[in-house]
């Protein structure tokens, strides 16, 4: 089982790490090549782009869980039908979003909070990003389905190829062609086109179970995949909320230097999070497949292996933060005060990822066994309930230092709470019994 897990999890985690790293490089290119205002404009549009990625993840995880379950149950025809419905629904949705964003860009960026200074830059970035809405969303979803169709390495290679293309084109469009912020948006879109182009032959040439074809949309199927996938959408949106809550408290307690320090901590933390998320995405097809086979031992076994892998991976990253934290932070700043604050903060926040990995693993696990309500509860615990309370209480007691422990306390409370209100073994047995009844 371990070797089977590694076959899926390692490529997925590595692809996620590369994606996180290219996001950092993308930010460096925009900041250095276009200016601070362009970087700020990208951040203005960020909540909207995060929402779009959340929609894609909702389709990817929800559809992927249903497809893998049916493949495991030997209902190949139904699995193919679900895949085709997801693709058709996503394509229609992407076209609608793209048209709306291009036509109403001005109004959207005003709602997002753009200032007079940042307005035109924000409009340019969103409009050109929206032109590539189809490949941006389809790339994420097809990548997940390739992984669920037993081709985890292809999913990894296509992601890395898209990321490398993005970085190269960022440099060319921004520094050589002088396209500014438009160049960054175009580079992102073209990078995703490369990813999609590498994935399409798998489905066109029917190299696995899944293939394209005519299909009618069924409300029941669309409703099921959205219900199962919704926690993934909520997790993505929660990230923006977590950043917002931190920023509000940091500005009040520490001022701008606190926000600057947090942005650096966030860059480092995002890499840890993406690797842990990648491990979990690698485990999802295996859990869903064996859930469809009604093999409870393997379903629970892959969950436990993923949890252990998450703890070991976090241990490695925590060691890196403690031993090499100053050096990593110095890449982003020359200010000694920011460096010291960020170094103290990153040592505390990195510890939270022991619980982050376990919590996101449990979120996706409950999605894979079709118990999305529990996944949604975990998402709400993490971001909406425990985090604001933790940040406010700890900042009152310990001042600035307490803020950095906020995420650690929040994730710890989430872990304890979800284990009080639910039990993995009991929930899995209950869900598999339900599958037997339906069958």
């Amino acid at each position: 089982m371990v070797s089977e897990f590694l076959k899926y999890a390692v490529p997925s985690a590595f692809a996620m790490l590369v994606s996180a790293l290219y996001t950092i490089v993308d930010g460096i290119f925009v900041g250095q090549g276009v200016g601070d205002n362009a970087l700020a404009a990208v951040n203005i549009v960020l909540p909207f782009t995060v929402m779009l990625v959340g929609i894609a993840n909702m389709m990817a995880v929800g559809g992927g869980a249903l497809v893998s379950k049916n493949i495991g149950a030997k209902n190949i025809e139904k699995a193919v039908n679900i895949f085709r419905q997801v693709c058709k629904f996503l394509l229609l949705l992407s076209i609608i979003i793209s048209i709306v964003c291009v036509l109403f860009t001005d109004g959207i960026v005003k709602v997002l909070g753009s200032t007079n200074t940042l307005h035109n830059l924000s409009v340019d970035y969103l409009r050109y990003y929206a032109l590539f809405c189809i490949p941006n969303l389809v790339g994420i979803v097809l990548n997940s389905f390739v992984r669920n169709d037993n081709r985890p390495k292809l999913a990894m290679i296509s992601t890395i190829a898209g990321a490398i293309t993005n970085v190269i084109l960022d440099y060319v469009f921004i520094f050589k062609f002088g396209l500014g912020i438009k160049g960054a948006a175009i580079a992102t879109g073209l990078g995703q086109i490369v990813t999609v182009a590498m994935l399409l032959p798998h489905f066109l040439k029917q190299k696995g179970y899944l293939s394209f074809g005519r299909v009618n949309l069924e409300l029941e199927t669309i409703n099921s995949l959205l219900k199962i996938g919704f926690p993934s959408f909520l997790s993505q949106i929660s990230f923006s909320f977590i950043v917002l809550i931190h920023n509000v408290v940091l500005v009040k307690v520490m001022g701008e230097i606190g926000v600057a320090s947090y942005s650096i901590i966030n860059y480092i933390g995002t890499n840890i999070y993406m690797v842990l998320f990648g491990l979990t995405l690698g485990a999802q097809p295996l859990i869903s497949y064996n859930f469809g086979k009604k093999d409870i031992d393997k379903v629970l076994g892959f969950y436990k292996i993923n949890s252990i892998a998450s703890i070991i991976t976090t241990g490695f990253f925590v060691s890196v933060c403690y031993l090499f934290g100053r050096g990593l932070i110095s890449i982003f700043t020359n200010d000694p005060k920011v460096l010291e604050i960020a170094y103290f903060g990153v040592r505390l926040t990195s510890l939270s990822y022991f619980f982050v990995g376990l919590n996101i693993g449990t979120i996706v696990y409950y999605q894979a066994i079709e118990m999305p309500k529990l996944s949604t509860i975990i998402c709400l615990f993490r971001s909406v309930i425990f985090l604001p309370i933790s940040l406010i209480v700890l900042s009152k007691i310990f001042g600035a230092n307490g803020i950095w422990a906020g995420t650690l306390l929040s994730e710890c409370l989430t872990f304890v709470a979800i284990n009080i209100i639910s039990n993995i073994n009991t929930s899995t047995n209950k869900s598999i019994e339900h599958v037997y009844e339906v069958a």
Side-chain angles (χ1 to χ4, degrees), residues 251-319:
V251 166
K252 187 176 180 181
V253 177
M254 298 178 69
E256 291 181 356
I257 195 170
V259 178
S261 302
Y262 177 61
S263 67
I264 295 170
I265 293 168
N266 218 18
Y267 270 125
I268 295 170
T270 298
N271 285 278
I272 303 174
Y273 176 86
M274 291 295 275
V275 171
L276 295 175
F277 187 50
L279 288 174
T280 299
L281 288 182
Q284 176 268 311
L286 297 169
I287 294 168
S288 296
Y289 176 81
N290 286 288
F291 176 65
K293 286 180 68 177
K294 306 179 185 71
D295 189 337
I296 190 168
D297 291 333
K298 280 197 170 184
V299 169
L300 288 168
F302 282 120
Y303 171 75
K304 290 171 184 174
I305 291 170
N306 183 54
S307 298
I308 293 167
S310 160
I311 292 169
I312 293 170
T313 303
T314 302
F316 168 76
F317 279 113
V318 168
S319 300

Side-chain angles (χ1 to χ4, degrees), residues 80-198:
V80 174
N81 181 270
I82 291 169
F83 165 70
R84 291 175 179 178
Q85 285 194 61
V86 173
C87 290
K88 185 174 182 178
F89 183 68
L90 180 66
L91 189 61
L92 292 171
L93 187 62
S94 300
I95 292 169
I96 292 168
I97 292 172
S98 189
I99 292 170
V100 170
C101 287
V102 170
L103 292 178
F104 303 104
T105 319
D106 193 74
I108 292 171
V109 297
K110 283 180 181 177
V111 171
L112 293 171
S114 68
T115 61
N116 290 333
T117 305
L118 301 177
H119 184 78
N120 289 337
L121 285 168
S122 300
V123 167
D124 281 346
Y125 184 77
L126 179 56
R127 182 166 287 147
Y128 281 89
Y129 183 92
L131 288 174
F132 295 93
C133 194
I134 294 172
N136 285 339
L137 299 188
V138 170
I140 294 170
V141 175
L142 288 186
N143 197 282
S144 173
F145 278 118
V146 161
R147 192 183 301 113
N148 279 274
D149 204 15
N150 201 31
R151 296 288 299 279
K153 285 185 180 178
L154 175 59
M156 175 189 73
I157 293 167
S158 66
T159 300
I160 293 172
I164 292 172
T165 301
N166 191 344
V167 170
I168 293 171
L169 292 180
D170 261 337
Y171 175 77
V172 172
F173 290 162
I174 293 173
F175 291 98
K176 297 297 182 182
F177 293 174
L179 294 178
I181 199 168
K182 291 179 284 191
I186 295 168
T188 300
L190 293 177
Q192 281 300 100
I193 287 175
V194 169
T195 296
V196 172
M198 293 186 69

